[in-house]
Amino acid sequence: MKTYPPKQPRALPPRRRRIPAFHPVPLSPRSDGWTHERQAQFIGVLAETRSVLAACRRISMGRESAYRLRKRPGAAGFAAAWDAALGKPNEPVDLSSAKSTGLDAGTRFQSGRLQVVMDAGNFVGIRRKPDHSAHLQHLARLDRACAHIDWR
């Protein structure tokens, strides 16, 4: 009688992690600092390697500065993307609200949102997306500010 080895259970395909689009943390411009592109590259490489140290080494930034960037005011979206890249459960951030992001509508409109593009678990690139709701909020605020002006 033939005997067959027991069937091995099929390995489940790796679960796709969705990294949410985020507003970059506003910083003063420096060529060797955390630019908007570097922030998105960090999130993409972090999703690929799942190591903060490896991601920082690949984009030539320090691990301590990454943790400081995460704690800065206005970094709620960046921190949510960081958690999503590591596969940690997190509270979704309402990107259209100044209360949850810590950024006013003008800043959110100017910087836009950054979307990390992944393909089969590998970091591919960055897509910059306009933030239309921030644009409309900014225009409404300007309209309210100009409402009391006498144009005559």
Side-chain angles (χ1 to χ4, degrees), residues 105 109 131-141 143:
F109 165 63
D131 192 350
H132 298 298
S133 64
H135 188 195
L136 293 173
Q137 288 174 5
H138 186 60
L139 288 175
R141 188 177 73 192
D143 283 344

Side-chain angles (χ1 to χ4, degrees), residues 81-130:
W82 180 322
D83 290 341
L86 292 177
K88 294 181 181 177
N90 60 346
E91 293 293 321
V93 176
D94 181 16
L95 293 178
S96 64
S97 169
K99 288 182 179 178
S100 62
T101 60
L103 303 171
D104 68 332
T107 304
R108 288 184 286 127
F109 165 63
Q110 287 176 347
S111 65
R113 292 181 297 160
L114 298 175
Q115 177 68 55
V116 175
V117 180
M118 303 291 289
D119 182 35
N122 296 323
F123 172 62
V124 176
I126 306 163
R127 217 179 267 143
R128 189 174 286 271
K129 299 167 80 173

Side-chain angles (χ1 to χ4, degrees), residues 11-119:
L12 294 174
R15 186 167 183 232
R16 291 181 57 186
R17 292 181 308 278
R18 185 184 180 290
I19 301 172
F22 65 95
H23 293 288
V25 182
L27 299 168
S28 59
R30 283 183 56 171
S31 61
D32 63 342
W34 284 98
T35 61
H36 294 177
E37 288 75 23
R38 240 186 216 149
Q39 292 176 34
Q41 288 173 352
F42 170 77
I43 296 296
V45 175
L46 182 64
E48 185 178 320
T49 62
R50 293 203 162 192
S51 166
V52 175
L53 183 60
C56 288
R57 283 183 179 163
R58 187 150 352 144
I59 65 166
S60 303
M61 294 301 289
R63 184 177 60 89
E64 294 84 11
S65 69
Y67 281 105
R68 278 196 308 266
L69 179 69
R70 181 185 167 106
K71 291 179 184 177
R72 285 183 67 108
F78 178 75
W82 180 322
D83 290 341
L86 292 177
K88 294 181 181 177
N90 60 346
E91 293 293 321
V93 176
D94 181 16
L95 293 178
S96 64
S97 169
K99 288 182 179 178
S100 62
T101 60
L103 303 171
D104 68 332
T107 304
R108 288 184 286 127
F109 165 63
Q110 287 176 347
S111 65
R113 292 181 297 160
L114 298 175
Q115 177 68 55
V116 175
V117 180
M118 303 291 289
D119 182 35

